[in-house]
Amino acid sequence: MESDYAIIGGGVVGLSVAWGLLRRGRSVTVIDGDDAGPRASRGNFGLVWVQSKGMKQPRYAQWSQTSAALWRGFAGELGDQTGIDLGLRQDGGYDLHFSEETLAETVAKYDVLKRELGGDYPFEVLGHNALRKEEPHIGPKVVGAILHRQDGHANPLRLLQALADGVRRAGGRVLTGRKVVAVDRGDGFAVACADGTRIRADRVVLSAGLGAAQLGPLLGFRAPVRPQRGQVLITEKLPPLINRPSLIARQVNEGGIQIGATNEEVGLDDGVTRKGLAQLAQEAVMAYPALARAQMVRSWGALRVLSPDGLPIYQESPTHPGAYLVTCHSGITLAAVHALRLPDWLERTPEAPDLEVFNETRFS
Amino acid sequence: MHEAELIILGAGPAGMAAAARAAGFGLSVLLLDEQPRPGGQIWREVGRAGPLRGDLLGRDYTDGARHVDRLDHPGISHLGGASVWQVDPAGEVAFTRNGAAQVARGRRILLANGALERPMPLPGWTLPGVMTAGAAQILLKASGIVAERAVLVGAGPLIYLVAAQMVRAGTPPLALVETQTLGDVLRAARHLPRALAGMGYLLKGLGLLRELRRAGVARFTGATSIAIEGTGRAEAVTFTTGNGPQRIACDTVLLHHGVVPNTQASRSMDLPHEWDDAQRSFRPVVDAWGRSAEPCVFIAGDGAGIAGAKAATLTGQLSALAIAHDLGALPEADRDLAARPLRAKLALETAARPFLDRAYPPCAQALAPADETIICRCEEVTAGTIRHQAALGCLGPNQTKSFCRAGMGPCQGRYCGLTVTELLSACHGRPQQATGAYRIRAPLKPVTLGELANLAES
């Protein structure tokens, strides 16, 4: 087995990078796990989101903006290749507020970020009445919202499926049901799996989500990632009720209203709790009172992959040159840059984006 | 918040027997059931329909009334119309009743959720006019309605019972199209010596077959290539037997090829399950008392493995004995003494099971449906889509669920789960146990956000 790249982890992050490398004519083998195990790619909320990101690190806000801007072309190309509509809508999104104080505080922070970004941060504040014109079902307790024009959402499961399909169509090899146990270095890398499979590759990308915590040290990474649980629920399919997505709720392209998400530090427990679901329901009903009559049909818990500051890590190994750690919390938002820009960084082309601030040495 | 020492989910044979036995030891019992009145599926509405239609439904049905009567005990609180949507191993159960979500807390939980009919995805099975034989029997029990110009399709003793009940009701089915072959019966024969201990079941089966013969109901066996034809609704069943292609025009098609444990609640608690090859289904792992891997959670009746109603009353009582002992209401020696006659009866009740499982195997065509056959009715996903996902590397049903939504609908995957597992298992040549099953989460039954939100406030 010989590939230019071995990609450890076949979730949205690993497959986006794989798809981007294949598109440039590189040969790729993706190594993925089995049906169980925490898979953030199966449980995330599906926002393609800019606002609130990078409040302390404008470079992250920019990186998210770059991806949001590339998303339409990315979805189009992937959609044409696979025939799968990713359900992308980028008409803006809301940060809803139930108090004037939190709204004002957030606006003040956005103003600072906007200045740091040279003015490219298109948001506006809608009071209750203005919001109601846009969202007729908004509840009386919502005092207002920040509408950010660069926000949107997509169907994350269609994205996952399209990437899995597109990588194969582009000639990538995807090995599922594998568990990586060792990575040996000699002439390139040899990735060894528990079932005896060995994959030889010139370069290795570690994009194994929470799995990077164990595998990272094999390649000289610290990989300081931790799980954070988010519980999400979804209603039966409903007629159009929510126009633009928010961090509280979005109406998915199939019609269900998805409501999220909790932020819980509970280790690797990806279960759902009655308390968590009840809180989500309470907030959603407060935002959109008509939802009180909607039936919840499913719920799930998923584990966010978080670095200590919540930002991505892009790092070449200091001890194993040619091995890269790629991990982030926002795999959906960043899918487009991971597919279309990160290969420049991996391949060290003149167009390579400057990802210095996302180095993991920032945590030392 | 309701409080009880024992909360039982399901007021069928296992749940009712367990409730009566546990209450007899002085335990407080909360019996939650989705139906307004106790009885489960097998004794559905026995209190009302027994006196009205007992003759045609038979003794095995009217016997259920005794078990319903035993619920009249001060220690038992029966809440009908309670739709349970979450159970946690710590002993809390959330349910909706009369439009309001409520929570009950118990020291022990007994799951007595019974069985589901094994889904039978055949070409045309989603047409109006097609239903399961079990659903048709429920209509007969609850409302006295009998399907007209019906053909029963599939395999298993229930088909004979439903057909005989239809004969007695004066509306015999047009035909029985059975999928088991002579070879199945011959292979099952090696289990006959043991099955003779459960002679009653075999004699009952022969009696039903005699009844059908006398009534002139046509029987076809070894049927393959079954399809339900019709534009807009079922109009005919076509199939092939040793005598060539057949076609029977009809108005109703009743499908059945066995029942499987309803594992939604046990799965939702992430309890370990194992594949039962003889019954082609998963069942939760429990000990001889029905205790699961979670020490406070017990499972009795068909939900722990298919053995029938009488066996369910016995396993329900065995769990009640263990729970009474756990909670200090029954010394160990007394528990073991009381268990002895139950276990002896259970051995007799289950003696015929290996023979029946092998004589009436599930319909092979429905376990491996043709590509164009819909297998997930909620999301209209075909078998071919699942096979395509397998080719994309999906090893298990949770991956296909993400990719094509099979199992995401209101039924929570009850009706496609086993089919998807079987399809993926066949595609990859991996055992069903390794292939796995859907991860089940709350809600087990839909609940409104308003009901849920009220729990946050209380």
Side-chain angles (χ1 to χ4, degrees), chain B residues 94-105:
Chain B
F95 60 98
T96 291
R97 187 165 184 258
N98 299 327
Q102 305 171 47
V103 178
R105 184 183 295 140

Side-chain angles (χ1 to χ4, degrees), chain B residues 178-318:
Chain B
E178 301 175 44
T179 55
Q180 83 282 353
T181 63
L182 189 59
D184 291 324
V185 179
L186 292 177
R187 271 189 294 279
R190 70 190 173 88
H191 298 283
L192 258 182
R194 191 185 152 200
L196 291 178
M199 197 66 176
Y201 281 103
L202 303 183
L203 290 176
K204 256 178 217 160
L206 291 172
L208 293 173
L209 287 175
R210 247 193 331 272
E211 214 174 328
L212 297 177
R213 202 159 48 239
R214 269 202 309 273
V217 176
R219 279 184 65 203
F220 301 85
T221 56
T224 57
S225 308
I226 303 166
I228 300 156
E229 290 182 351
T231 42
R233 59 168 298 113
E235 290 164 6
V237 178
T238 62
F239 56 96
T240 303
T241 67
N243 296 325
Q246 315 277 339
R247 184 178 191 280
I248 304 172
C250 61
D251 290 343
T252 309
V253 180
L254 306 180
L255 301 175
H256 177 85
H257 66 149
V259 294
V260 296
N262 177 0
T263 56
Q264 298 293 108
S266 51
R267 285 273 182 204
S268 77
M269 285 187 275
D270 288 333
L271 298 176
H273 288 66
E274 63 193 357
W275 179 257
D276 180 336
D277 215 35
Q279 299 196 338
R280 289 296 278 254
S281 57
F282 288 104
R283 62 164 182 230
V285 177
V286 293
D287 71 9
W289 302 100
R291 193 191 303 267
S292 74
E294 284 285 350
C296 295
V297 179
F298 289 71
I299 308 168
D302 277 354
I306 302 303
K310 285 187 180 161
T313 64
L314 301 169
T315 54
Q317 291 185 69
L318 285 167

Side-chain angles (χ1 to χ4, degrees), chain B residues 11-45:
Chain B
M16 291 197 295
R21 196 78 198 237
F25 295 118
L27 300 189
S28 60
V29 179
L30 177 63
L31 179 58
L32 299 173
D33 193 62
E34 196 163 31
Q35 295 303 318
R37 280 168 290 276
Q41 303 300 348
I42 187 101
W43 295 323
R44 182 91 160 242
E45 294 292 341

